[in-house]
Amino acid sequence: ESKMAEDDGLPPNKRNKFEKNVLIGVTGSVASIKLPKLVDELHRLQPKPNIQVIATEHSMHFFDRDKIPVKVFSDKDEWEAWSTMQDPVLHIELRRWADIMIIAPLDANTMAKLANGLCDNLLTCTVRAWDLKKPLLFCPAMNTLMWEHPITSEQVERLINLGYTNVPPIKKTLACKDTGIGAMAEVTSIVAIVKDHLEKMK
Ligand SMILES: CC(C)(CO)[C@@H](O)C(=O)NCCC(=O)N/C=C\S
């Protein structure tokens, strides 16, 4: 039994082939406040999926980790899970465990990292090792002025060309009181798209 199975909270292997493993990535956008709602609504899918979360350091500013009912991995976990060559490599274990990955929200900084193959934390390393036969959805969320910057569409295009699925931001009053495009897609829309992908996997 690998060390991983005991103390790192990855659920045991699936009870049946219909059970799916959903990996959520959260980054440093204020839209990460929606993580509890996203987990709750994904848990209502039938059959109930296994959910794990990878949180970047900045994302944890926006939610209380203790109030999330599933395992939330952080960069610290990567280093604590590995000390000798016998130990599992967390980002490889997570990419193997997942059937689908949703990065919600994808902030401007992590978008740029993924569009350029940077892998300087658990989340970006997991994506860098991603199996492109598995769906990866990204939900951009940023200030309108960032969204409208010409570099954003270049990077979104690159992510789409890599095979990832864009769940576009919507127009809303944003955290800085601007109104414009940049708010993360509604959780219900994200969950509906995930449901669709999971059903295609049966
Ligand atoms: C925060 C939330 C989810 C409230 O409905 C919505 O505004 C949103 O996704 N905002 C993300 C973009 C943003 O606000 N950026 C920060 C500075 S403008």
Side-chain angles (χ1 to χ4, degrees), residues 29-31 33-34 141-144 172-176 182-184:
S29 166
V30 60
I33 60 176
K34 298 283 181 107
M142 62 190 78
N143 176 287
T144 298
K172 231 184 204 177
T173 301
L174 301 166
C176 51
M184 185 170 80

Side-chain angles (χ1 to χ4, degrees), residues 26 40 61-62 73 77 125 133 139 171 188:
V26 285
D40 178 56
H61 185 74
F62 297 106
F73 289 98
D77 293 305
C125 283
K133 294 188 296 301
C139 311
K171 182 174 182 176
T188 40

Side-chain angles (χ1 to χ4, degrees), residues 52-72:
Q52 302 280 336
V53 177
I54 302 178
T56 65
E57 284 314 300
H58 292 317
S59 72
M60 290 190 283
H61 185 74
F62 297 106
F63 61 89
D64 180 350
R65 196 171 176 179
D66 304 337
K67 295 215 176 66
I68 305 293
V70 297
K71 177 73 181 173
V72 176

Side-chain angles (χ1 to χ4, degrees), residues 20-84:
K20 295 291 177 253
N21 291 339
V22 176
L23 184 58
I24 299 174
V26 285
T27 62
S29 166
V30 60
S32 287
I33 60 176
K34 298 283 181 107
L35 178 61
K37 183 173 161 65
L38 178 59
V39 171
D40 178 56
E41 291 204 13
L42 285 171
H43 264 158
R44 295 167 194 268
L45 295 177
Q46 294 297 333
K48 182 177 180 179
N50 295 313
I51 299 175
Q52 302 280 336
V53 177
I54 302 178
T56 65
E57 284 314 300
H58 292 317
S59 72
M60 290 190 283
H61 185 74
F62 297 106
F63 61 89
D64 180 350
R65 196 171 176 179
D66 304 337
K67 295 215 176 66
I68 305 293
V70 297
K71 177 73 181 173
V72 176
F73 289 98
S74 67
D75 295 346
K76 199 170 45 59
D77 293 305
E78 176 99 87
W79 306 118
E80 285 175 359
W82 194 92
S83 47
T84 70

